[in-house]
Amino acid sequence: MHPRPSPIAASLYTLRDMNVDVIIMHGPNGCCFRTGRLLESDGVRVLTTAMAENDFILGAGEKLEETLIKAYDMFEPKLMGVVGTCASMIIGEDLKEAIANADLPCTVIPVESHGGSGEGDNTIGAIMVLESAVECGVIPREEADRQIEMLEKATEVEKTRGMAQGRYIKPNFGDSKERVAKVVVQAIKEGKNVAFVHNAKKETAYLFADIINFDYTEINQDNKPIVVANLDENIGLERIRGHARNIKEELPMDIDFITGGLDEYPVTADVAAKYLKDKDLDLIVVFGVPHAFPIEEFDIESVAVTDGPRLVEPLKDLGYTHVVAELDAHSKTLGTDKIVFSDFGEMIRSTSGWLKE
């Protein structure tokens, strides 16, 4: 009952993850404009065919062909994507025909997505890209199948535990970051058993990893918290594996257990839970996609850190004691290869200093 991410936006992000050089959106110039502009920060050139009212009636195949040719002349890409929109797909525009007619000396992935694709879940747009990329020989069938399974599980998590439960959820910016940071720091200082669970999604990991971008033994040298993370650098597309490598190289503390890859966040939370089940914990801090973690199985104090104000209420309902929200995770992490500042991470570091004094 409230706006959610679009299949079109998911198509754009998934093409980005495949390291396409240029994406052409076949639709009005205002369609999904914010996502398109943000992706420019990640090195992708995002163009539009700028369909107008006459094109809705007469078609815009020639306009798409012209844009394809102009895009190639300007950027000489090796890999391009063409993404459909509500306007072009509802009138039945043939993306593949336009690509064939343009006859460019590069690979072009057509994605016939629109805002209502399938059930309207954003993951449908990502699945469309994967299927088309297999047809174009860009990725192997096995990798596409693995990612599609993860995307389907992600949809299930959102519909059963997240903000896609079918009811209106009022935005909520969560608990005081200062107060919750004091809870975390005090627990470590007092020798309590604390676990950090990094269960982040793709590039947003650069923001959430900031929470463990601190040597917690500075608080209590005899009480290092347990750190588990979905930072397997051998799983996923090269771009995603690179994110995991970059973060691991920068972290000041060792990771005790790797739960899986950055695109496996719907299932790595369960892996983390199984690992932590017998650790006699006093406090658990889960960040990234905390609603995937079965917190209801842990009868202890807990903290969830999310990037969605509409997820604060569902996280409380799941059983988290404290919930804090980081804003604009996607926009803050586009174009980076380093861990970026997070409000909660900075508050923990600041609180550590206050409690020492």
Side-chain angles (χ1 to χ4, degrees):
M1 295 182 69
H2 48 74
R4 292 190 58 235
S6 161
I8 302 170
S11 296
L12 296 172
Y13 278 116
T14 307
L15 285 167
R16 181 278 314 268
D17 290 343
M18 291 182 181
N19 289 329
V20 300
D21 304 298
V22 177
I23 300 172
I24 296 173
M25 296 181 63
H26 189 31
N29 56 13
C31 184
C32 228
F33 83 97
R34 186 171 186 271
T35 303
R37 285 185 178 178
L38 286 174
L39 286 178
E40 291 269 344
S41 300
D42 245 351
V44 185
R45 300 291 170 254
V46 182
L47 312 177
T48 173
T49 55
M51 289 178 68
E53 288 184 355
N54 283 345
D55 299 316
F56 304 159
I57 300 168
L58 303 174
E62 290 184 6
K63 189 173 277 189
L64 176 54
E65 292 173 27
E66 292 170 3
T67 307
L68 279 161
I69 293 168
K70 285 181 181 178
Y72 186 82
D73 289 343
M74 283 190 291
F75 303 113
E76 296 185 355
K78 295 179 180 178
L79 183 62
M80 295 177 65
V82 176
V83 175
T85 63
C86 297
S88 60
M89 291 298 96
I90 287 173
I91 67 172
E93 290 284 273
D94 192 332
L95 305 185
K96 292 180 180 178
E97 181 181 27
I99 291 169
N101 290 342
D103 193 25
L104 302 178
C106 69
T107 300
V108 184
I109 303 173
V111 188
E112 296 180 343
S113 65
H114 58 79
S117 297
E119 296 297 318
D121 297 317
N122 62 317
T123 48
I124 292 294
I127 290 170
M128 287 179 167
V129 173
L130 293 167
E131 295 286 4
S132 188
V134 171
E135 291 182 17
C136 294
V138 175
I139 60 172
R141 178 79 256 177
E142 298 77 22
E143 176 61 16
D145 289 343
R146 185 193 66 80
Q147 291 200 38
I148 289 169
E149 180 184 2
M150 292 301 109
L151 289 163
E152 290 172 345
K153 289 182 182 297
T155 299
E156 181 182 354
V157 167
E158 290 299 334
K159 288 187 171 181
T160 58
R161 302 172 65 84
M163 66 176 181
Q165 297 178 48
R167 60 187 174 90
Y168 178 78
I169 303 172
K170 184 179 179 180
N172 183 325
F173 296 97
D175 300 321
S176 161
K177 292 182 179 68
E178 179 181 338
R179 180 175 62 79
V180 179
K182 286 179 180 178
V183 169
V184 175
V185 174
Q186 194 66 45
I188 296 172
K189 186 177 182 180
E190 293 176 358
K192 293 182 178 180
N193 294 330
V194 178
F196 288 98
V197 179
H198 176 287
N199 192 59
K201 177 181 178 181
K202 298 185 180 180
E203 75 277 0
T204 62
Y206 285 117
L207 178 84
F208 289 109
D210 187 53
I211 295 169
I212 48 175
N213 191 25
F214 173 68
D215 186 353
Y216 283 88
T217 60
E218 292 182 15
I219 299 173
N220 184 341
Q221 63 179 0
D222 298 319
N223 187 31
K224 177 188 176 297
I226 298 170
V227 178
V228 301
N230 62 327
L231 290 171
D232 191 326
E233 60 196 72
N234 300 305
I235 294 175
L237 300 172
E238 175 53 37
R239 188 184 193 94
I240 305 305
R241 297 199 302 270
H243 297 334
R245 283 194 298 271
N246 294 339
I247 291 168
K248 287 168 71 176
E249 288 172 1
E250 198 172 343
L251 291 177
M253 288 194 307
D254 292 334
I255 298 171
D256 297 287
F257 184 68
I258 298 291
T259 57
L262 284 171
D263 63 5
E264 295 187 311
Y265 60 93
V267 297
T268 49
D270 286 328
V271 176
K274 289 177 183 177
Y275 175 77
L276 295 171
K277 202 66 176 173
D278 62 352
K279 303 301 184 196
D280 191 27
L281 298 173
D282 299 299
L283 174 67
I284 188 166
V285 184
V286 188
F287 39 96
V289 186
H291 49 297
F293 187 87
I295 194 62
E296 61 273 18
E297 297 177 7
F298 292 78
D299 187 21
I300 57 173
E301 191 170 16
S302 56
V303 176
V305 187
T306 177
D307 66 344
R310 292 189 193 272
L311 281 166
V312 172
E313 182 183 318
L315 287 165
K316 291 275 191 178
D317 292 342
L318 287 173
Y320 281 100
T321 316
H322 315 279
V323 181
V324 298
E326 292 280 351
L327 300 181
D328 301 321
H330 283 289
S331 59
K332 287 179 179 178
T333 54
L334 287 172
T336 188
D337 59 3
K338 305 264 184 205
I339 295 174
V340 301
F341 171 93
S342 73
D343 292 335
F344 190 57
E346 179 59 23
M347 187 57 68
I348 287 175
R349 291 186 286 271
S350 299
T351 302
S352 170
W354 302 335
L355 293 183
K356 282 181 181 178
E357 296 174 358

